[in-house]
Amino acid sequence: MTGAVGIERLSAYLPLYSLALDDLAEARGVEPQKYRIGLGLESMAITPACEDTVTLAANAAAPLFASGEVDPHEIGLLLVATESAVDHAKPVSIFVHELLRAQPACRTYELKHACYSGTAALMTAVQWVASGAARGRKALVIAADIARYDVGSAGEPTQGAGAVAMLVSDRPRLLSVDFRGSGAFAEGVFDFWRPLDRSAALVDGKYSVDCYLRALDGAYRDFEAHRRSAHEASPLPLVDRFGAFLYHVPFPKMASKAHRRLLEADFALRGEDEAPSDDFVEGSLASAVSPYLQACRAVGNSYTASLYFCLAHLLDRDGGRLSHEPISLFSYGSGCCAEFFSGVVGPDAARDDSGLSALLAARRQISVAEYEALRSGQAAPPDAPPDGFRGHFFFAGTERDRRRYLPTS
Ligand code: CAA
């Protein structure tokens, strides 16, 4: 098979609560501008006690099936990418498979590589379809995470949560993915990790920023090396090749740093004598990067899902304008593995809605005290979800060490 393959449908999901970072800054005795300007964040998504990674994932995918436009029996591959799994053995994917009533004839598993595994899952699904192994079936890829650092740590303002579900098929109405030309980079580093007995990640913050940028350099060089061996010798400048540049967003300022680094690498690879000027970088940021960071400013880090929240926002906001245009995507997972790849925005991108704006508008702002109570585990999973809950399923606690999920009535 040689036809286009990629994302046919996309649905985003956010938990009900959000915490304003101005409130967190005040509580921690930090200048609010550090979070707003220094990190680029306004608020972060917080999960109520009735929500975990399983419900985030299932609630992201459920609208795709609820409309009747996608049949669960079409799904032959169901992948869930997450850093924040709920069990050491039983994968999030099989809980989701059960909740969505997917067919038994389905390969399903969970993927882990910090924030990178959403892209690993997407590429696996795209290649499964492209290889012909799908035999006309479709893949459901879900990136779902709850980002947690210790309360009071430097990482605390860069938490968040959310999920993005993507239906992958040979009808890429929203984005066709160029899986043949992607560039990868891997290196064993301890920049961010989470030992098995911890619920909050450990991080070497400044070092993690360096690792991210080095991985971007490496993945982009691999992308270019492949492209040059396959195509022309003197490429157009990057800014003329892509209508938008999407990044993994641990915090929005990281994407700005990454874009500057990418443009520098592009200038160097094309043999330019000088580095790009500040005006050039700022202009490119303003037109092709910053507009797609708005969701992440309000959600915070959602690890595997964060790059795909940028994609959801791009499709919702500019899907019509960018239709048929190539865009670039950069995925980074600590530890580390990274991938730089491209796709072409599909013809129907203007018609679909990921649900993101409605979810953002429906969130309830909680206080720092409520957030700290949730983090300390004082709030037990309830019998019913709180008022305003928009998910199709909620977590109802454990029984004999088995997790229970119920439909929202
Ligand atoms: N007004 C405006 N800006 C201010 C300011 C103020 N009053 N005070 C500080 N700032 C700026 C600083 O100058 C700095 O900007 P630059 O990076 O451009 O220099 C920025 O705010 C942050 O300040 P600090 O470096 O002092 O912040 P910090 O020590 O508190 O740590 C952090 C920041 C390392 C990102 C920390 O939040 C952290 O560890 N976060 C988690 C790790 C992370 O997200 N790493 C990203 C790469 S790894 C990855 O991508 C995988 C993943 O998802 C985890």
Side-chain angles (χ1 to χ4, degrees):
M1 265 178 91
T2 53
V5 176
I7 301 171
E8 181 182 330
R9 287 183 188 276
L10 183 149
S11 169
Y13 181 75
L14 287 176
L16 180 62
Y17 298 152
S18 77
L19 178 64
L21 285 195
D22 284 356
D23 293 350
L24 185 67
E26 189 185 338
R28 300 291 177 255
V30 170
E31 166 63 38
Q33 295 303 82
K34 173 173 175 178
Y35 295 165
R36 274 188 177 271
I37 311 288
L39 299 178
L41 288 161
E42 289 160 9
S43 57
M44 59 190 187
I46 305 285
T47 46
C50 71
E51 192 103 78
D52 66 7
T53 305
V54 170
T55 62
L56 291 177
N59 288 330
L64 297 176
F65 300 99
S67 65
E69 289 178 54
V70 181
D71 179 353
H73 292 95
E74 292 179 300
I75 307 300
L77 178 67
L78 195 169
L79 304 179
V80 178
T82 188
E83 188 271 358
S84 41
V86 297
D87 191 287
H88 290 313
K90 187 166 173 164
V92 172
S93 51
I94 196 65
F95 288 104
V96 173
H97 179 276
E98 183 183 10
L99 291 171
L100 297 177
R101 298 176 193 273
Q103 62 168 340
C106 179
R107 183 184 292 161
T108 182
Y109 54 94
E110 180 185 298
L111 293 86
K112 174 175 74 178
H113 190 137
C115 312
Y116 166 68
S117 62
T119 299
L122 177 63
M123 288 297 177
T124 300
V126 166
Q127 290 173 21
W128 176 73
V129 173
S131 73
R135 302 191 304 269
R137 294 167 298 167
K138 300 178 180 186
L140 181 63
V141 170
I142 311 174
D145 262 311
I146 302 172
R148 285 199 193 96
Y149 296 97
D150 286 334
V151 170
S153 70
E156 185 181 33
T158 65
Q159 300 175 111
V164 176
M166 295 169 274
L167 188 72
V168 174
S169 77
D170 56 7
R171 287 187 62 224
R173 298 169 57 252
L174 303 182
L175 186 80
S176 65
V177 175
D178 178 7
F179 61 94
R180 291 183 186 84
S182 87
F185 178 84
E187 180 184 31
V189 288
F190 265 103
D191 60 333
F192 162 104
W193 66 106
R194 188 160 66 82
L196 287 175
D197 57 344
R198 285 187 66 98
S199 62
L202 298 172
V203 66
D204 187 342
K206 300 263 171 19
Y207 178 56
S208 72
V209 171
D210 293 343
C211 291
Y212 179 121
L213 295 175
R214 197 164 58 243
L216 171 62
D217 268 337
Y220 175 59
R221 277 172 201 280
D222 187 40
F223 174 87
E224 274 303 300
H226 171 77
R227 201 196 55 74
R228 284 173 188 223
S229 66
H231 303 298
E232 77 268 34
S234 58
L236 288 170
L238 265 186
V239 291
D240 296 331
R241 281 157 61 195
F242 297 115
F245 298 82
L246 305 185
Y247 294 91
H248 165 58
V249 185
F251 51 93
K253 184 79 169 288
M254 186 72 236
S256 307
K257 290 177 194 282
H259 194 57
R260 177 177 291 276
R261 179 63 73 93
L262 183 70
L263 296 184
E264 286 168 0
D266 175 50
F267 270 48
L269 275 181
R270 286 188 299 103
E272 297 276 346
D273 291 336
E274 291 182 5
S277 69
D278 284 350
D279 283 354
F280 181 85
V281 174
E282 292 302 327
S284 179
L285 272 171
S287 63
V289 180
S290 300
Y292 312 117
L293 297 175
Q294 203 50 43
C296 291
R297 279 188 227 295
V299 171
N301 195 355
S302 53
Y303 292 164
T304 54
S306 118
L307 172 63
Y308 299 99
F309 271 114
C310 296
L311 178 62
H313 188 55
L314 176 145
L315 295 171
D316 289 348
R317 183 195 144 110
D318 282 342
R321 185 178 66 79
L322 290 173
S323 179
H324 302 291
E325 276 212 46
I327 61 171
S328 80
L329 300 94
F330 175 67
S331 180
Y332 176 73
S334 290
C336 69
C337 187
E339 193 154 344
F340 186 93
F341 63 106
S342 67
V344 176
V345 177
D348 293 345
R351 274 194 241 154
D352 278 19
D353 181 80
S354 72
L356 188 52
S357 310
L359 287 160
L360 281 168
R363 290 195 304 176
R364 188 190 309 160
Q365 194 169 312
I366 59 171
S367 65
V368 174
E370 287 172 293
Y371 149 71
E372 287 176 348
L374 282 166
R375 279 302 302 269
S376 69
Q378 286 168 19
D383 294 333
D387 287 348
F389 186 75
R390 293 171 75 98
H392 291 228
F393 308 102
F394 70 99
F395 171 53
T398 57
E399 209 173 84
R400 292 180 300 129
D401 277 335
R402 291 160 166 85
R403 299 181 83 82
R404 289 188 317 128
Y405 298 95
L406 295 174
T408 309
S409 50

